């Protein structure tokens, strides 16, 4: 109650001050409505609404989106949080207000259910509209009706040499063709560097688990590039209506932090609450792997041995998981038996990495363009249905025929039609290298750290304190925020801010090195969208320990992205790990190709000398 009274009193004083100023100037900003305080239960969302006169716009902390003078948005923080509102007009008049959302623990408990529990079967009906996705059921399926083949899950047992895939055979309306038995026209092939190999199908059976509960964890990317997240949420809400009422649902949204809104609960209990969920405007970095790991961990901890799936809608490439890697996600996915399905939207994602993680976990990757967001509903519905209705195909395959990366081809061929589906299949989990691991991003010409990044910095400080032998480098970056000297200076202040906060949390100064890149290493050189500038204004970390392979060799420089990719492929054929990054200087952009995977400066220097002599190249260790 004390917090509530003090907050209300503070808001009244602020409003009184503002109204007093308004008496002297009709062009100053006028506050018509601004409560400044919300009290919610943990897991609920606060409805923040405001009304300002003589204002041009509203900005909230470091959220990229700009709001109107009369506007609103929902936010569901995990803990009590203060949000700064910057209200501005064209006369250079700006006022700053604070809105506090107080989060209290929900102590209420649900009464136990009387009587035996029951599981209601999924009631799939025949769908009568054309669809590219699993949308209904044809209980009298025939091969003549086949229009689409889908590989939806895969697993490979290297010790026994057994490959198992789950597939769906659909008609033109997306109906699952039930009752198929003959495999005379089916073929399964694998393509890789060793060639094209036809696989023998040794087992083909249909599974209908309509009375089996299925657990689903839905994750929605809410980082700065996620411009379509509001529409995506609507399509997710539509899809979950089709879940078995006895199945369980978990929902979260994420940027550099994971916001777990609903833990795993029966769909019939939370479906009405899920319809009301709103998420804040897109902002922040993308801690995809950290969020996926924590979400799967929470799901596996809460569930039994029912079928399950983790479905991620991603708009951005991973750039802020800090200590979590793609390998961690695949490992916990396989251990818990929860495959990961990833719906990658737009051009800011890393399709190759997302595709490999999905397939390595046993799931599937889907790629959509922003104009096709409506397909999210169909894809999620397909994934949900395929947990209970599928055909299992088994093949025996010699491990010598399988390469590191393989393309599976499931085809149906008859005199009248040829239908195929392709699926990327990895023999072993590849080592994914993420060159950008940001600890924070900043407002223009600012080195102030937003509170949204405190959790990441605290986590980093705890790791450094628990491991006093670890060291890292904090690298400050800027967008074009002034002259070259000014860009270097603001980037240096940003890395310094991270350094100071880590020291405040108890990290030893000798564990941290800092440097400034200025505007020379942008993630996005052509900054057509505000969030691209936002991503450039960042502080990154680089671990200086042997197992993280911190040392790199600058191999070549290219004027175009296409040429840089060709150079990367050239070095990979030579046996090196390579990637390229954008590099800018004085508004001129080029691409640097780097070789990575060196545990020490000595190892990198020795390798650079050997490669320089062998390939007559000018190499530099970084």
């Amino acid at each position: 109650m004390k917090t509530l009274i003090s907050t209300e009193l503070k808001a009244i004083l602020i409003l009184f001050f503002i109204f007093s100023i308004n008496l002297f100037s009709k062009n100053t900003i006028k506050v018509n409505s601004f409560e400044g305080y919300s009290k919610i239960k943990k897991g609920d969302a606060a409805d923040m609404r405001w009304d300002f006169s003589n204002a041009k716009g509203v900005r909230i902390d470091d959220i990229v989106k700009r709001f109107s003078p009369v506007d609103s948005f929902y936010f569901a923080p995990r803990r009590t949080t203060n949000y700064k509102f910057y209200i501005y007009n064209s006369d250079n008049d700006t006022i700053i207000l604070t809105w506090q959302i107080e989060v209290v623990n929900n102590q209420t408990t649900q009464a136990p259910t009387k009587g035996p529990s029951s599981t209601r079967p999924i009631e799939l009906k025949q769908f009568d509209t054309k669809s590219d996705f699993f949308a209904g059921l044809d209980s009298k399926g025939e091969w003549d009706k086949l229009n689409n083949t889908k590989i939806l899950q895969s697993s490979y047992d290297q010790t026994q040499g057994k490959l198992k895939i789950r597939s769906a055979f659909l008609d033109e309306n997306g109906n699952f063709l039930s009752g198929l038995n003959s495999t005379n026209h089916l073929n399964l092939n694998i393509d890789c560097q060793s060639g094209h190999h036809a696989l023998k199908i040794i087992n083909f059976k249909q599974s209908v688990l309509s009375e089996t509960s299925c657990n689903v964890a839905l994750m929605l990317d809410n980082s700065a590039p996620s411009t379509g997240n509001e529409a995506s949420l609507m399509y997710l809400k539509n899809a979950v209506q089709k879940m078995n009422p006895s199945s369980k649902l978990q929902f979260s949204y994420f940027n550099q932090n994971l916001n777990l809104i609903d833990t795993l609960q029966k769909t019939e209990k939370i479906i009405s609450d899920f319809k009301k969920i709103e998420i804040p405007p897109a902002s922040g970095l993308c801690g995809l792997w950290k969020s996926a790991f924590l979400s799967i961990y929470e799901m596996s901890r809460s569930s039994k041995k029912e079928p399950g799936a983790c479905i991620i809608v991603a708009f951005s490439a991973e750039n802020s998981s800090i200590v979590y890697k793609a390998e961690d996600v695949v490992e916990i996915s396989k251990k818990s038996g929860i495959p990961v399905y990833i719906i990658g939207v737009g051009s800011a994602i890393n399709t190759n990495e997302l595709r490999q993680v999905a397939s390595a976990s046993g799931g599937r990757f889907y790629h959509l363009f922003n104009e096709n967001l409506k397909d999210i509903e169909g894809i999620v519905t397909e994934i949900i249905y395929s947990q209970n209705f599928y055909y299992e195909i088994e093949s025996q395959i010699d491990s010598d025929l399988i390469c590191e990366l393989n393309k599976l081809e499931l085809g149906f061929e008859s005199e009248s039609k040829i239908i195929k589906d392709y699926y990327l299949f990895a023999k072993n989990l590849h080592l994914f290298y993420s060159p950008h691991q940001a600890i924070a991003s900043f407002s223009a010409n600012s080195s102030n750290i937003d509170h949204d990044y405190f959790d990441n910095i605290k986590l980093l400080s705890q790791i450094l304190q628990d491991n006093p032998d670890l060291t890292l480098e904090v690298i400050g970056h800027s967008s074009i925020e002034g002259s070259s000297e000014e860009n270097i200076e603001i980037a240096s202040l940003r890395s310094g801010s991270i350094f100071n906060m880590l020291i405040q949390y108890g990290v030893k100064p000798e564990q941290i090195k800092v440097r400034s890149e200025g505007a020379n290493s942008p993630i996005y050189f052509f900054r057509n969208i505000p969030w691209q500038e936002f991503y450039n204004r960042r502080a990154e970390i680089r671990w200086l320990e042997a197992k993280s392979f911190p040392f790199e060799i600058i191999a070549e420089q290219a004027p175009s992205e296409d040429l840089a990719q060709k150079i990367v492929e050239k070095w990979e054929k030579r046996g090196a790990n390579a990637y390229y990054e954008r590099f800018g200087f004085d508004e001129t952009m080029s691409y640097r190709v780097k070789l990575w995977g060196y545990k020490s400066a000595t190892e990198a220097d020795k390798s650079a000398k050997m490669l320089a002599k062998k390939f007559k190249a000018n190499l530099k260790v970084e």
Side-chain angles (χ1 to χ4, degrees):
M1 182 61 69
K2 289 182 178 180
T3 304
L4 176 60
I5 294 173
S6 62
T7 304
E8 289 179 338
L9 181 60
K10 181 179 179 181
I12 291 171
L13 292 173
I14 292 173
L15 294 177
F16 178 77
F17 175 72
I18 295 169
F19 283 128
S20 299
I21 294 177
N22 286 340
L23 293 175
F24 298 97
S25 174
K26 65 179 182 179
N27 292 323
T28 55
I29 299 170
K30 180 180 178 181
V31 181
N32 299 319
S33 176
F34 185 85
E35 292 185 12
Y37 176 80
S38 299
K39 186 174 183 178
I40 61 173
K41 295 178 180 178
K42 194 171 184 178
D44 290 345
D47 183 3
M48 304 167 73
R49 298 177 180 271
W50 58 87
D51 182 354
F52 302 105
S53 300
N54 301 325
K56 184 178 180 180
V58 176
R59 182 170 66 83
I60 304 174
D61 283 339
D62 205 19
I63 294 176
V64 174
K65 179 178 178 180
R66 297 297 183 261
F67 298 91
S68 301
V70 181
D71 212 333
S72 66
F73 87 109
Y74 288 85
F75 200 69
R78 293 178 295 172
R79 61 183 183 279
T80 299
T81 308
N82 294 325
Y83 297 93
K84 286 186 178 180
F85 282 65
Y86 301 84
I87 305 96
Y88 57 92
N89 66 14
S90 55
D91 295 331
N92 294 322
D93 183 22
T94 301
I95 61 172
I96 302 175
L97 300 178
T98 299
W99 193 306
Q100 183 186 74
I101 300 179
E102 183 180 357
V103 181
V104 296
N105 290 325
N106 186 358
Q107 301 294 336
T108 61
T109 58
Q110 295 180 336
T113 303
K114 295 182 179 180
S117 61
S118 61
T119 302
R120 281 182 275 167
I122 298 176
E123 297 180 3
L124 272 186
K125 298 180 179 180
Q126 193 157 344
F127 200 64
D128 58 4
T129 304
K130 286 189 176 182
S131 174
D132 293 328
F133 307 105
F134 188 163
L137 176 67
D138 183 346
S139 59
K140 298 179 180 179
E142 298 175 359
W143 286 113
D144 289 342
K145 300 177 183 179
L146 183 64
N147 187 70
N148 204 347
T149 300
K150 294 284 183 78
I151 302 175
L152 297 164
Q153 277 194 36
S154 74
S155 64
Y156 176 64
D157 187 333
Q158 293 191 46
T159 58
Q160 298 184 18
K162 285 187 177 180
L163 172 67
K164 291 183 180 180
I165 64 172
R166 287 187 181 183
S167 60
F169 300 101
L170 312 174
D171 66 14
E172 64 178 2
N173 295 330
N175 290 303
F176 180 88
L177 299 176
S178 181
L180 303 176
N181 45 42
S182 172
T183 60
N184 293 338
H185 297 289
L186 274 184
N187 55 72
L188 184 63
N189 302 291
I190 187 168
D191 282 306
C192 68
Q193 291 180 342
S194 65
H196 179 88
H197 308 285
L199 305 180
K200 183 180 179 180
I201 296 175
I202 60 175
N203 193 15
F204 177 86
K205 65 179 180 179
Q206 179 180 344
S207 292
V208 177
L209 309 173
S210 58
E211 296 188 8
T212 302
S213 298
C214 174
N215 301 323
V216 174
L218 291 177
M219 299 178 59
L220 181 59
D221 187 353
N222 199 43
S223 60
S226 307
T227 53
N229 55 6
E230 292 179 3
S232 301
L233 180 59
M234 179 184 69
Y235 295 126
L236 290 176
K237 290 178 179 180
N238 293 341
V240 300
Q241 306 294 320
K242 302 161 189 174
M243 289 181 65
N244 182 331
S246 300
S247 293
K248 296 178 182 178
L249 176 67
Q250 175 177 297
F251 175 72
S252 61
Y253 65 88
F254 64 94
N255 46 21
Q256 68 278 349
N257 301 315
L258 175 67
N259 295 279
L260 189 61
I261 303 301
D262 285 315
T263 55
L264 205 62
Q265 300 181 54
K266 284 191 175 181
T267 308
E268 59 185 350
K269 292 183 179 180
I270 65 170
I271 198 72
S272 58
D273 292 335
F274 186 62
K275 291 178 182 178
K276 301 174 185 177
I277 288 176
E278 301 289 344
I279 57 176
S283 67
L285 300 164
C286 182
L288 175 58
W289 303 140
K290 178 180 79 171
S291 300
F293 180 92
L294 295 176
S295 183
I296 295 172
Y297 172 78
E298 178 63 28
M299 183 180 180
S300 63
R301 190 176 66 86
S302 306
S303 67
K304 298 178 181 178
K305 291 296 182 180
E306 302 115 338
C310 177
I311 307 173
I312 305 172
V313 180
F315 289 83
S316 173
E318 152 66 41
N319 58 34
S320 190
S321 285
I322 309 300
V323 295
Y324 293 88
K325 302 185 291 296
E327 295 94 313
D328 299 323
V329 176
V330 174
E331 182 179 352
I332 193 172
S333 169
K334 287 186 171 182
K335 184 177 180 180
S336 60
I338 300 172
V340 178
Y341 296 83
I342 303 177
I343 306 170
V345 183
S347 58
I349 59 173
N350 184 332
T351 56
N352 181 52
E353 185 175 30
L354 297 182
R355 190 184 304 277
Q356 289 194 46
V357 169
S359 65
S361 73
R364 182 183 173 109
F365 173 74
Y366 299 81
H367 188 203
L368 297 178
F369 295 103
N370 291 89
E371 57 267 27
N372 300 123
L373 280 177
K374 59 182 177 55
D375 285 344
I376 288 177
E377 180 178 345
I379 293 171
V380 174
T381 300
E382 173 173 281
I383 297 168
I384 290 171
Y385 285 167
S386 68
Q387 304 305 305
N388 297 89
F389 297 84
Y390 57 87
Y391 286 92
E392 185 171 270
I393 301 174
E394 186 176 326
S395 177
Q396 192 78 31
I397 178 171
D398 190 338
S399 60
D400 294 337
L401 298 179
I402 296 183
C403 306
E404 287 301 316
L405 286 176
N406 310 272
K407 184 171 73 173
L408 281 179
E409 176 192 288
L410 178 62
F412 175 88
E413 294 187 25
S414 68
E415 294 180 358
S416 60
K417 64 180 69 175
I418 298 176
I419 299 171
K420 296 181 180 181
D421 186 36
Y422 301 95
Y423 182 94
L424 183 70
F425 167 59
K427 180 179 179 180
N428 296 301
L429 180 62
H430 283 225
L431 179 64
F432 297 106
Y433 181 69
S434 181
H436 301 292
Q437 280 300 304
I439 190 70
S441 194
F442 300 84
S443 298
N445 297 303
S446 172
S447 59
N448 295 329
I449 305 171
D450 189 271
H451 63 82
D452 283 346
Y453 302 107
F454 286 5
D455 284 350
N456 261 2
I457 298 172
K458 287 179 182 177
L459 173 63
L460 188 61
S461 68
Q462 190 61 53
I463 291 169
L464 288 168
Q465 290 179 73
D466 292 343
N467 300 273
D469 293 333
L470 288 182
T471 58
L472 60 78
E473 183 177 45
V474 181
I475 308 160
H477 298 267
S478 75
S479 56
I480 306 300
E481 300 170 60
S483 65
S484 296
E485 292 77 13
E486 289 170 331
N487 292 332
I488 290 291
E489 181 180 359
I490 190 64
S492 179
L493 290 173
R494 287 166 180 163
S495 58
S497 294
I498 301 296
F499 175 88
N500 291 334
M501 181 165 283
L502 289 171
I503 298 303
Q504 290 174 16
Y505 284 144
V507 179
K508 297 177 181 178
E510 56 267 26
Q511 289 181 269
I512 312 166
K513 296 182 179 181
V514 295
R515 68 180 169 94
S516 171
E517 277 286 315
N520 294 333
S521 298
I523 298 177
Y524 294 97
F525 187 84
F526 297 109
R527 305 167 301 280
N528 301 318
I529 310 172
W531 63 260
Q532 294 174 336
E533 290 272 18
F534 175 74
Y535 267 17
N536 288 343
R537 300 189 300 265
R538 67 200 187 279
E540 293 179 345
I541 65 166
R542 184 172 71 129
W543 291 101
L544 301 177
E545 56 167 339
K547 69 177 182 179
S548 66
F549 306 106
F551 293 93
E552 300 174 334
I553 298 172
I554 300 174
E556 297 184 52
Q557 197 159 310
S560 70
E561 191 166 9
D562 288 342
L563 183 56
Q565 180 59 41
K566 290 179 181 177
I567 296 173
V568 166
E569 293 171 357
K570 178 183 69 176
W571 280 102
E572 286 179 340
K573 288 180 181 179
R574 292 172 173 175
N577 296 312
Y579 75 97
Y580 69 83
E581 66 177 8
R582 299 174 181 87
F583 178 78
F585 185 75
D586 288 340
E587 293 285 359
T588 301
M589 184 182 65
S590 62
Y591 297 84
R592 285 192 302 202
V593 176
K594 291 185 174 182
L595 313 181
W596 64 277
Y598 303 100
K599 297 180 179 181
S600 65
T602 302
E603 181 185 346
D605 186 61
K606 182 179 179 180
S607 181
K609 290 178 180 177
M610 184 271 292
L611 292 172
K613 183 178 180 180
K614 183 175 180 179
F615 299 108
K616 298 181 180 179
N618 184 19
L619 306 178
K620 178 183 177 183
V621 174
E622 183 178 70

